[in-house]
Amino acid sequence: MSNPYKEIFQVPGAKGFAAAGFFARLPFAMAPIGIIAMLSQTRGEYWLAGAVSATFALTNALVSPQISRLVDRLGQRAVVAPATLVSVIAFAILIIAARQGWPAWTLFVAAFLSAVMPSMPAMVRARWTEIFRGRPELNTAFAFESAADELVYIAGASLSVGLAVSLFPEAGMVVSTASLALGTIAFLLQRSTEPKVRVSGSEGRQRSAIWLRPVQIITAALIFVGATFATAEVSAVAITKELGQPEAASIVIGVYAIGSFLVGLAIGALNLSMPLQRQLLIAVTVLALTALPLLVAGSSVALLASAVFLSGVAISPTFITAFGLIERRVPESMLTEGVTWVMTGIGIGMALGAFVSGLVVDSFGPTNGFWVSVAASLITVLIVALGQTILGGERLPSDEAPVTQAAE
């Protein structure tokens, strides 16, 4: 039996841009927690550390789709290179400001400017789409990327905190910034796999991809999927602390991502004939069902880890099918922006899920935090179920994409 992952990497240039993209996306996991680890040690104020980190995360969530929209119109190298340069310089200023004790406002300005960091997961997926557009291998490529995202979240956050604690406060951010700079340079030097710029008939008047109904439905669904992901992390930390084993939190969170990672790889090796919108509905339904055991898993670390592992099995299949639908339903001239909106939805959901579950844990106890996961996953099922007809439609041609009225 042939190995589908081996086959996709036989394409010239695939190994290079995939490896470079992996390192270039590490800051997505390392930077937010790295900022907190750095500033909590150098300034001793957790509220300031959290506020600066939130400034970066929320600004990036709003700005990255606009960066990707420019990429669709001008090309990856023309936009990603200057945006990354600004981000790297701003991260460097943030590191220096933290170390030298500069005024707090400089931290916020640096965090704000560093948020122009491009969405590298979207750039990598755009290259896979350029190679395998309309072919079953694209599903395998998206599965690999979802697995890579899981590895980034597993390793990135732990690496960032570990470096800051064991070496010096800024160590995690230094490595994160270096990964962004070197990984992006290596990625952009590979011109042979760079997607072609596809100019639509309404160029100059074309509106954002978020106005497309499929993008709205999938982004809304992934907001609540992201909320379930963040809730599991917050609740795991709270429950293990209550059980007197706070060090077990990292193990439980790792098990959650490993479950998603393994199932994602397995799904990517299959060539399913079922329509993608049906696959997405099944995946989010499994997500909702596997969230239920979490409600009774707070009595021991072993039981918690088992329940969390089970609840993670549907995460990667959900991401894989969601990105596959974006590729099929969004005009080619808007693909990178469409993928980035979905990534933004995940990030917003994680931020909201962490906030809401934190309030629930503080008010009603650690085990009740998982009610947020149950509620969020049920809402996801409802959104995807109601959107089946739209998600199952045909791709909207570029010249029929939403446009603004031309100036008279």
Side-chain angles (χ1 to χ4, degrees), residues 33-89:
I33 191 66
I35 291 172
I36 292 175
M38 175 176 68
L39 294 180
S40 63
Q41 293 184 77
T42 58
R43 298 299 179 101
E45 297 174 302
Y46 282 94
W47 73 266
L48 177 63
V52 174
S53 179
T55 298
F56 164 75
L58 293 178
T59 304
N60 182 252
L62 295 174
V63 171
S64 58
Q66 313 312 319
I67 298 293
S68 293
R69 186 180 182 188
L70 289 175
V71 168
D72 283 328
R73 296 178 60 182
L74 303 175
Q76 289 188 350
R77 175 176 286 203
V79 178
V80 172
T84 301
L85 179 61
V86 172
S87 185
V88 168
I89 292 174

Side-chain angles (χ1 to χ4, degrees), residues 202-227:
S202 55
E203 183 65 28
R205 299 182 296 121
Q206 185 167 293
R207 296 172 72 184
S208 170
I210 196 60
W211 293 105
L212 298 174
R213 290 292 290 152
V215 177
Q216 292 175 349
I217 292 170
I218 295 173
T219 299
L222 269 292
I223 286 175
F224 290 97
V225 173

Side-chain angles (χ1 to χ4, degrees), residues 21-32 151-152 155-157 159 175-176 179-180:
F22 180 85
F23 286 100
R25 83 180 76 179
L26 278 174
F28 282 88
M30 295 186 68
L151 284 178
V152 165
L159 177 63
V175 172
S176 173
S179 296
L180 174 64

Side-chain angles (χ1 to χ4, degrees), residues 84-162:
T84 301
L85 179 61
V86 172
S87 185
V88 168
I89 292 174
F91 274 134
I93 293 174
L94 179 61
I95 293 169
I96 295 172
R99 189 165 188 83
Q100 298 298 322
W102 291 359
W105 67 264
T106 62
L107 303 174
F108 287 98
V109 171
F112 179 83
L113 294 176
S114 65
V116 301
M117 182 176 70
S119 176
M120 290 308 298
M123 305 303 157
V124 176
R125 284 177 170 88
R127 294 204 178 200
W128 283 121
T129 302
E130 184 75 7
I131 295 171
F132 294 123
R133 192 182 305 276
R135 295 166 56 183
E137 291 90 341
L138 185 59
N139 183 68
T140 303
F142 281 174
F144 173 81
E145 288 306 316
S146 293
D149 288 338
E150 296 288 351
L151 284 178
V152 165
Y153 282 114
I154 292 172
S158 298
L159 177 63
S160 188
V161 173

Side-chain angles (χ1 to χ4, degrees), residues 299-363:
S299 58
S300 70
V301 171
L303 185 60
L304 176 64
S306 300
V308 165
F309 177 86
L310 180 64
S311 70
V313 299
I315 296 292
S316 275
T318 299
F319 289 170
I320 294 165
T321 50
F323 288 120
L325 282 166
I326 288 292
E327 185 274 328
R328 295 191 185 186
R329 295 291 287 114
V330 173
E332 296 176 357
S333 62
M334 307 169 76
L335 177 62
T336 309
E337 185 193 355
V339 172
T340 304
W341 274 114
V342 175
M343 299 295 301
T344 295
I346 297 170
I348 292 174
M350 291 183 68
L352 292 176
F355 175 71
V356 174
S357 61
L359 289 178
V360 172
V361 166
D362 287 339
S363 301

